[in-house]
């Protein structure tokens, strides 16, 4: 003979209250976490938009004299500056680059200033088949002081993704100011480099003015995602509390 238990009206088992309570608390914690993450992304969005606005103002402002000594990265990066001095072409380095003109190299040359300090100048891009000094001989034979205007850029230490700089082999994948200075025996070097503007060089090479100023800004998407997850978690809380069976 089969024996059936009486489960009350509807014949449904009621879940232990502690299970429902634990799940509800867990889901409420998720709601709080997702709301916090969404709000944090909103704050990051505000910061990023402010940064973009400030950088846009800098790159279109009148140039100022290149600073000497320590700089404030938050205030000085991408500032338009001008430096005057003599290029030391013999100590130039080629840094691998990929630009809108294809693959090639940045030509980074020390500029010796009147006060004895040196600033590295990214004079511009040359294609791979024009990497030899002879290909840009006209610009390197220019005698006398030169004035360079461009964007102040922060040093890029270490190298590029999965590609470390090789100073001993004179192979460069990033514009690492300290490493380049050490490899070329330069002293009193400013802690930044200058990306030269599009002012043409004699002979047409290197090609300046190819700096790409972009900032990844996905904070709004992230914020909406976190808030959507918070809404979904809140909906799950509602369903848990509403159900009679677990």
């Amino acid at each position: 003979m089969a024996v059936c238990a009486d489960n009350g009206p509807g014949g449904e088992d009621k879940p232990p209250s502690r299970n429902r309570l634990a799940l509800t608390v867990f889901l409420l914690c998720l709601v709080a976490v997702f709301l916090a993450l969404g709000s944090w992304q909103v704050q990051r969005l505000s910061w990023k938009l402010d940064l973009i606005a400030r950088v846009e103002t800098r790159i279109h402002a009148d140039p100022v004299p290149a600073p000497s000594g320590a700089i404030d990265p938050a205030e000085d990066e991408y500032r338009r500056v001008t430096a005057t001095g003599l290029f030391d072409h013999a100590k130039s380095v080629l840094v691998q680059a990929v630009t809108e003109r294809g693959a090639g190299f940045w030509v980074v040359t020390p500029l010796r200033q009147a006060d004895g300090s040196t600033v590295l100048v990214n004079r511009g891009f040359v294609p791979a088949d024009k990497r030899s000094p002879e290909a840009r001989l006209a610009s390197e034979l220019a005698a006398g002081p030169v004035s360079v205007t461009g964007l102040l850029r922060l040093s890029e230490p270490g190298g590029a993704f999965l590609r470390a700089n090789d100073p001993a082999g004179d192979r460069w994948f990033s514009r690492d100011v300290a490493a380049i200075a050490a490899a070329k025996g330069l002293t009193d070097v400013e802690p930044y480099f200058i990306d030269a503007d599009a002012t043409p060089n004699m002979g047409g090479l290197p090609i300046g003015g190819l700096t790409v100023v972009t900032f990844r800004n996905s904070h709004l998407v992230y914020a909406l995602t976190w808030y959507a997850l918070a809404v979904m978690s809140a909906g799950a809380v509602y369903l848990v509390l509403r159900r009679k069976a677990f």
Side-chain angles (χ1 to χ4, degrees):
M1 176 188 295
V3 178
C4 298
D6 184 5
N7 294 322
E12 295 181 347
D13 291 318
K14 292 184 179 179
S17 59
R18 64 180 180 218
N19 287 351
R20 180 178 297 181
L21 177 60
L23 181 56
T24 301
V25 170
F26 172 73
L27 290 172
L28 287 175
C29 288
L30 285 183
V31 171
V33 170
F34 291 147
L35 287 175
L37 289 171
S39 299
W40 177 64
Q41 287 296 335
V42 169
Q43 294 174 356
R44 294 284 294 172
L45 173 63
S46 177
W47 168 82
K48 183 62 69 66
L49 292 176
D50 179 64
L51 172 64
I52 293 172
R54 285 188 284 114
V55 169
E56 282 292 319
T57 299
R58 291 176 200 166
I59 64 179
H60 294 107
D62 292 333
V64 299
S68 178
I71 61 171
D72 180 353
E75 296 297 328
D76 292 324
E77 187 176 16
Y78 293 109
R79 190 178 299 282
R80 287 189 73 207
V81 298
T82 297
T84 302
L86 295 170
F87 277 130
D88 188 349
H89 294 290
K91 295 185 177 180
S92 292
V93 300
L94 297 177
V95 181
Q96 289 199 357
V98 177
T99 73
E100 62 189 40
R101 292 175 175 264
F105 299 89
W106 300 121
V107 180
V108 179
T109 305
L111 180 72
R112 192 70 173 175
Q113 302 181 98
D115 63 359
S117 65
T118 297
V119 60
L120 296 183
V121 177
N122 174 20
R123 296 167 56 221
F125 171 80
V126 292
D129 60 349
K130 300 291 185 181
R131 63 180 297 175
S132 66
E134 292 75 16
R136 55 182 187 275
L137 190 60
S139 68
E140 299 196 0
L141 287 178
V146 295
S147 182
V148 177
T149 296
L151 299 179
L152 186 152
R153 300 293 306 280
L154 303 182
S155 179
E156 301 167 343
F161 179 66
L162 297 179
R163 310 180 84 176
N165 289 325
D166 178 17
D170 202 25
R171 291 169 55 83
W172 302 93
F173 301 99
S174 73
R175 292 159 292 190
D176 185 335
V177 172
I180 293 173
K184 297 300 179 179
L186 303 173
T187 58
D188 196 11
V189 180
E190 301 296 349
Y192 59 85
F193 66 93
I194 297 174
D195 266 348
D197 64 14
T199 301
N201 287 298
M202 292 181 61
L205 293 174
I207 303 169
L210 298 181
T211 307
V212 176
V213 183
T214 58
F215 296 93
R216 187 168 180 267
N217 186 11
S218 301
H219 299 297
L220 179 59
V221 173
Y222 293 153
L224 293 176
T225 299
W226 291 125
Y227 285 142
L229 289 172
V231 171
M232 292 170 63
S233 298
V237 172
Y238 171 75
L239 292 176
V240 169
L241 296 177
R242 187 167 177 267
R243 289 185 62 182
K244 294 182 180 180
F246 182 64

